[in-house]
Amino acid sequence: MDYQYQNAGYVEAPQDYKVWSIINIVFGVLCCGCCGIFGLVLGIMALLKSNDVSKYVAMGEEGLVQAQEASGKAKTYNIIASIFVGLSVIVNILYLILYATGALN
């Protein structure tokens, strides 16, 4: 873990959520529905924000506040993207079940 010195103590560097962003992007591509596309776009936005976190942490003490803000935005984007991707997975599973049972014919 990276620690940055700020004022009188050490402050832990914020998480960047890169792995979560990449997982959202992969599932957004695999689940090509309207919800999957929104998850894909939000996953890309989250990945860009997580790259900003790494950039601001590398700046040192003066970039720590900006890194925390970017980390919060990346987390928010990932939560929303996960919801859309989850909805897309559920819709695809329901479609496959309905197709397999012959309800769509």
Side-chain angles (χ1 to χ4, degrees):
M1 298 240 166
D2 293 329
Y3 292 93
Q4 300 290 330
Y5 183 75
Q6 186 180 28
N7 296 339
Y10 287 96
V11 177
E12 187 175 341
Q15 292 185 354
D16 59 2
Y17 303 107
K18 280 186 185 178
V19 174
W20 191 5
S21 302
I22 292 170
I23 290 171
N24 280 329
I25 291 170
V26 169
F27 278 104
V29 169
L30 294 177
C31 301
C32 295
C34 61
C35 296
I37 298 298
F38 291 133
L40 174 65
V41 171
L42 287 168
I44 292 170
M45 291 171 58
L47 185 62
L48 293 174
K49 283 297 174 186
S50 64
N51 286 336
D52 287 345
V53 172
S54 301
K55 177 179 69 173
Y56 291 136
V57 167
M59 287 174 54
E61 187 177 332
E62 62 273 358
L64 196 58
V65 173
Q66 294 165 331
Q68 290 172 344
E69 290 174 2
S71 176
K73 288 181 182 179
K75 183 178 180 180
T76 302
Y77 292 153
N78 275 320
I79 289 171
I80 297 170
S82 295
I83 291 170
F84 279 121
V85 168
L87 286 173
S88 181
V89 168
I90 290 170
V91 167
N92 285 335
I93 290 172
L94 288 175
Y95 177 77
L96 289 174
I97 290 171
L98 290 174
Y99 185 75
T101 59
L104 296 177
N105 292 336

